[in-house]
Amino acid sequence: MKDKKGYLALIGIFVFALLIRFIYLYQLKSSLLFGFFAPDSYFYDKFALKILAGNLLYKETVYLNPLYPFFLSAIYTVFGHNLTAVAFVQIILDSFTCALLYLICIKIFNKKNIALTASFIYAAYGIAIFYTGFLLDATLVVFLHAWLILTLLYAKAKKGFALWLLCGILTGLIMLLKAN
């Protein structure tokens, strides 16, 4: 992006997505659903707390992905065992996903109207917004996929080793988000 309007659109999309998701979190926190642990959420939280206690080898059966508990434990290290902090981080990641989608569309289609439409549709996509408020890996999965796609597009165009290395790292992280 070389023009000022493109940067303003990118910032606008990010802020729009952020606003919607913060309004959602504000409403969610006053409901009985906030803090509810579905079986997957309970497992992720329990595993993250074990990681914080220094137990990196999980002796029980791991049926979900191994990366998300490490993601949670990083958040818990900074903010404590705080579900609101997890939701905040996921909201920020999902808002960045909207911006990444804008950049992907610009790179592929080279049309701002397509990029704006796609990113605003995702910014208002209910299920994406919903998952930001829960201890589930969906937000991280979508963010990493969008980042990988954009990095692949730039790596193909620039042929730089560092970008291809980043593509490999992102692919590895995405594989760690695959449940067994």
Side-chain angles (χ1 to χ4, degrees):
M1 271 189 318
K2 296 175 178 139
D3 63 338
K4 190 175 179 181
K5 287 183 184 178
Y7 286 114
L8 289 176
L10 192 62
I11 292 168
I13 290 161
F14 179 79
V15 170
F16 175 71
L18 208 57
L19 259 165
I20 289 175
R21 283 153 179 76
F22 279 136
I23 291 169
Y24 162 71
L25 180 61
Y26 176 76
Q27 293 173 339
L28 179 65
K29 282 188 67 152
S30 64
S31 80
L32 295 175
L33 280 176
F34 191 73
F36 171 74
F37 282 174
D40 293 354
S41 299
Y42 175 76
F43 166 81
Y44 287 137
D45 184 62
K46 183 177 164 188
F47 194 175
L49 292 173
K50 284 188 177 209
I51 291 167
L52 286 177
N55 183 3
L56 298 178
L57 301 173
Y58 198 74
K59 296 192 183 349
E60 298 171 29
T61 303
V62 176
Y63 66 96
L64 295 171
N65 75 67
L67 182 61
Y68 191 69
F70 283 91
F71 171 75
L72 287 178
S73 66
I75 296 170
Y76 291 168
T77 298
V78 175
F79 301 104
H81 188 238
N82 185 336
L83 301 180
T84 305
V86 174
F88 266 69
V89 170
Q90 292 186 155
I91 283 169
I92 291 167
L93 281 182
D94 209 42
S95 298
F96 273 118
T97 300
C98 295
L100 291 172
L101 185 57
Y102 177 84
L103 294 171
I104 289 167
C105 290
I106 289 291
K107 194 84 172 139
I108 292 173
F109 302 109
N110 202 21
K111 293 188 185 275
K112 287 182 189 156
N113 59 345
I114 293 173
L116 284 170
T117 303
S119 54
F120 276 116
I121 287 172
Y122 184 78
Y125 182 49
I127 200 72
I129 296 167
F130 174 80
Y131 278 122
T132 61
F134 293 92
L135 294 183
L136 294 169
D137 62 356
T139 302
L140 184 59
V141 168
V142 175
F143 171 75
L144 288 176
H145 275 91
W147 189 9
L148 173 62
I149 291 167
L150 184 63
T151 307
L152 282 168
L153 290 169
Y154 277 102
K156 181 182 176 202
K158 296 190 180 196
K159 312 254 190 263
F161 175 76
L163 288 172
W164 287 112
L165 180 63
L166 180 57
C167 289
I169 291 168
L170 290 171
T171 301
L173 291 173
I174 289 168
M175 289 301 107
L176 289 174
L177 285 169
K178 177 75 176 121
N180 295 318

